[in-house]
Amino acid sequence: MKNILMIICDQLSATALKAYGNDYVKAPNIDSLSDNGVTFENAYTSCPLCQPARASFWSSKYPHQTKVLSNLPDQGFDTFSTEIETLGDLFSKNGYDCVHIGKRHDYGALRGFKIMDYEQIKSERDNPAITVNYETFYDEDTTKKMIRYLKEEASDNPFLAVADLQNPHNICSYIGENELGHKDFGINEDELPQLPDNYNFDDALNRPEFIQYMCCSHRRQSQTIHWGEDDFRHYLYAYYHYIGVVDKQIGKILRALEESGKKDDTMIVLFADHGEGMASHRLVTKYGAFYEETNRVPLIFSGNNVKGKRKVDGLVSLLDIYPTLADYAGITTYKKEEGISQYKQIIGESDTADNEYVSAQWYDEYDGYIVPGRMYLDKDYKYTVYREDNSEELFDMKNDRLENINLAVKPEYKNILEQYREKLKNHIEKTNDNFFSLKSEYDKKYRQHKPGMENHTGPNAVLDYSKRLKQKK
């Protein structure tokens, strides 16, 4: 039997985990999966935003192909296209019991799964200064229901069971609650994490205007503009706290799998839909920047058929999960999608992923501030471009993984820049992407202050969207 247990976290950056070099965070259950499994060192989301990313990895299609482009509850069409075969479609018709518990945000891309309702189980704050809300409460219920499924409800058929957890996404509400500055955590300063090495950088005015004015389009970013270093260190402490909270839920699920007697027949895959800014370049949560902290995510396989205690180099996309799981299950009937199977890497036939490059996309978070962007990343450079004056970034990924220096503005990199423009163009043509016909659309009122997020004044596009929603009600 080849069961699959998928554990998904929301807004978990690879940068935050011990498996990827962070020794501060305490997440023993995630660490155990990595220590005994296969860790893909460079896995990337197709979009640094929940709904587009999720529609993508459930279908192995890019956002421009799924047409799920933002977090809007209405994308302009009723449901996810029946012409696109989802992971749930594929596995359910091949005899799998496909069960999903927890966060959805899929716009119909979970088609083929039995979707269990979930509810909040309220709990008290571990630390009075660290926000706890519905996201943590939902995870309590998701964990409880997954434990029950594994121990009591799973049939004799192979299963594809998904525990879709909200945390560490609770950090978004923490930022909102602490817009005016952090509360007293009741800890010593030396217990706080240090700020990342790219917290301060002198290249801000060499970035696309979209980045310089992100405070005008990103609600959480606008709430941090008056924060100092101490506030950012407390925010990082809170983010790591939420990782610890979700790690405990993961531990309960893993123990239930072992107690069920199904562990030896089950492959576990843990990943996240996107990452978190983590104070890099003074950014928080996620949005349209393609920096490592928000786009590079954990991807760990452990258990049945996995040749463990290994790390796999090279580039991987979350689009690769779909064909990889199909190969594990021995399903050969799936249509050719955008992802590439990494199954031979899991079973130990290769220690390097097969992708020559990975790509990601951006459109808008909700409605009213459209600045389409694309990312192209290979082993040497990361190239990004936005459809706003075709503003660009180019980073040397061998010598500047912190993305401190934008080489796109340097004349001596003109030839390399041209090469990467051509590489992205070829990818766009290959995937029938309409990127070059798209346009930026936003009100100029969102660009009234001096360049740089520290100079933010005036309205915010997401807050304005929220006001419009309230007025409609």
Side-chain angles (χ1 to χ4, degrees), residues 110 170 276 392:
L110 280 169
N170 213 152
E276 157 68 40
E392 299 166 303

Side-chain angles (χ1 to χ4, degrees), residues 197-225:
D197 291 339
N198 56 357
Y199 169 75
N200 282 315
F201 70 114
D202 57 9
D203 198 48
L205 296 183
N206 288 325
R207 304 301 165 102
E209 282 195 13
F210 175 72
I211 303 296
Q212 295 182 40
Y213 287 92
M214 193 173 288
C215 48
C216 298
S217 57
H218 181 4
R219 173 179 52 162
R220 299 305 184 191
Q221 196 63 49
S222 70
Q223 291 172 325
T224 69
I225 56 170

Side-chain angles (χ1 to χ4, degrees), residues 64-76:
H64 77 272
Q65 296 166 327
T66 67
K67 296 182 171 50
V68 180
L69 306 179
S70 71
N71 274 348
L72 280 174
D74 182 359
Q75 300 284 315

Side-chain angles (χ1 to χ4, degrees), residues 191-395:
E191 296 180 68
L192 294 170
Q194 295 299 313
L195 293 172
D197 291 339
N198 56 357
Y199 169 75
N200 282 315
F201 70 114
D202 57 9
D203 198 48
L205 296 183
N206 288 325
R207 304 301 165 102
E209 282 195 13
F210 175 72
I211 303 296
Q212 295 182 40
Y213 287 92
M214 193 173 288
C215 48
C216 298
S217 57
H218 181 4
R219 173 179 52 162
R220 299 305 184 191
Q221 196 63 49
S222 70
Q223 291 172 325
T224 69
I225 56 170
H226 299 301
W227 279 9
E229 291 189 7
D230 194 43
D231 295 307
F232 275 102
R233 289 182 69 189
H234 280 79
Y235 140 81
L236 277 176
Y237 184 95
Y239 180 59
Y240 295 157
H241 172 84
Y242 295 127
I243 295 174
V245 170
V246 78
D247 184 75
K248 291 177 183 177
Q249 307 292 356
I250 292 168
K252 292 177 183 179
I253 293 169
L254 295 178
R255 283 191 292 275
L257 177 65
E258 186 166 5
E259 292 168 2
S260 73
K262 302 177 180 68
K263 180 180 177 181
D264 291 343
D265 295 324
T266 303
M267 184 170 74
I268 304 159
V269 53
L270 179 141
F271 65 101
D273 54 354
H274 54 75
E276 157 68 40
M278 292 182 61
S280 68
H281 309 99
R282 298 200 179 192
L283 296 175
V284 296
T285 76
K286 74 287 180 188
Y287 199 69
F290 296 110
Y291 300 138
E292 290 290 278
E293 292 79 8
T294 50
N295 285 259
R296 181 171 167 240
V297 294
L299 180 60
I300 301 168
F301 290 81
S302 185
N304 187 25
N305 275 40
V306 176
K307 186 178 180 182
K309 300 183 179 181
R310 296 168 46 246
K311 292 193 174 184
V312 174
D313 197 6
L315 300 169
V316 176
S317 169
L318 292 186
L319 304 185
D320 298 343
I321 292 174
Y322 183 119
T324 301
L325 295 184
D327 280 356
Y328 162 75
I331 299 172
T332 60
T333 57
Y334 65 92
K335 300 175 184 176
K336 174 68 173 66
E337 309 298 352
E338 295 297 343
I340 297 175
S341 175
Q342 306 295 336
Y343 185 56
K344 69 179 183 180
Q345 284 74 12
I346 290 172
I347 61 177
E349 292 182 3
S350 175
D351 287 327
T352 304
D354 287 334
N355 294 306
E356 293 182 11
Y357 69 91
V358 294
S359 185
Q361 305 183 356
W362 178 259
Y363 292 87
D364 187 13
E365 184 174 13
Y366 288 108
D367 179 45
Y369 197 95
I370 300 172
V371 182
R374 295 291 185 270
M375 179 199 82
Y376 180 101
L377 170 67
D378 64 17
K379 63 182 178 63
D380 296 316
Y381 290 91
K382 179 187 288 185
Y383 170 68
T384 70
V385 59
Y386 296 94
R387 293 294 290 149
E388 179 183 44
D389 300 326
N390 288 322
S391 50
E392 299 166 303
E393 293 173 306
L394 181 70
F395 300 107

Side-chain angles (χ1 to χ4, degrees), residues 384-434:
T384 70
V385 59
Y386 296 94
R387 293 294 290 149
E388 179 183 44
D389 300 326
N390 288 322
S391 50
E392 299 166 303
E393 293 173 306
L394 181 70
F395 300 107
D396 182 339
M397 299 307 288
K398 290 184 175 179
N399 299 303
D400 184 24
R401 287 300 293 258
L402 295 177
E403 298 163 300
N404 280 327
I405 302 171
N406 180 15
L407 302 176
V409 301
K410 295 185 176 295
E412 60 268 34
Y413 283 87
K414 179 181 178 181
N415 290 339
I416 293 176
L417 184 61
E418 289 288 351
Q419 292 174 26
Y420 279 80
R421 286 171 178 164
E422 189 66 22
K423 288 182 177 186
L424 177 64
K425 179 183 176 183
N426 291 338
H427 168 74
I428 283 173
E429 290 176 353
K430 175 185 173 184
T431 58
N432 296 313
D433 187 356
N434 64 341

Side-chain angles (χ1 to χ4, degrees), residues 23-211:
D23 291 326
Y24 182 92
V25 178
K26 302 295 186 291
N29 296 295
I30 297 175
D31 293 345
S32 177
L33 287 175
S34 175
D35 291 342
N36 295 292
V38 171
T39 301
F40 286 88
E41 295 197 272
N42 298 290
Y44 291 83
T45 185
S46 63
C47 180
L49 190 66
C50 293
Q51 190 164 253
R54 289 165 179 268
S56 284
F57 62 66
W58 292 127
S59 63
S60 193
K61 296 285 189 183
Y62 289 103
H64 77 272
Q65 296 166 327
T66 67
K67 296 182 171 50
V68 180
L69 306 179
S70 71
N71 274 348
L72 280 174
D74 182 359
Q75 300 284 315
F77 55 96
D78 291 337
T79 189
F80 200 75
S81 173
T82 56
E83 295 181 3
I84 299 176
E85 187 174 54
T86 68
L87 189 69
D89 286 337
L90 178 66
F91 274 76
S92 60
K93 76 180 183 182
N94 279 277
Y96 270 72
D97 185 22
C98 298
V99 175
H100 180 277
I101 307 170
K103 181 166 183 172
R104 300 167 193 169
H105 220 175
D106 63 299
Y107 207 79
L110 280 169
R111 189 179 60 236
F113 281 92
K114 300 171 188 174
I115 299 176
M116 292 191 183
D117 289 332
Y118 65 123
E119 58 193 357
Q120 299 181 39
I121 299 177
K122 295 189 177 181
S123 58
E124 298 298 323
R125 298 186 181 203
D126 294 330
N127 184 317
I130 299 179
T131 315
V132 174
N133 68 3
Y134 67 93
E135 295 181 293
T136 296
F137 303 156
Y138 276 133
D139 281 357
E140 292 279 353
D141 184 66
T142 297
T143 301
K144 177 182 176 181
K145 286 188 168 74
M146 181 54 73
I147 291 171
R148 187 173 67 203
Y149 173 79
L150 293 171
K151 296 176 72 171
E152 302 174 17
E153 299 173 354
S155 69
D156 292 334
N157 294 328
F159 62 73
L160 171 55
V162 182
D164 212 330
L165 299 163
Q166 303 259 3
N167 266 322
H169 194 279
N170 213 152
I171 191 63
C172 294
S173 297
Y174 169 86
I175 293 167
E177 187 176 288
N178 293 275
E179 181 176 3
L180 300 179
H182 70 85
K183 299 179 178 64
D184 182 6
F185 279 19
I187 61 175
N188 297 323
E189 183 179 352
D190 58 7
E191 296 180 68
L192 294 170
Q194 295 299 313
L195 293 172
D197 291 339
N198 56 357
Y199 169 75
N200 282 315
F201 70 114
D202 57 9
D203 198 48
L205 296 183
N206 288 325
R207 304 301 165 102
E209 282 195 13
F210 175 72
I211 303 296

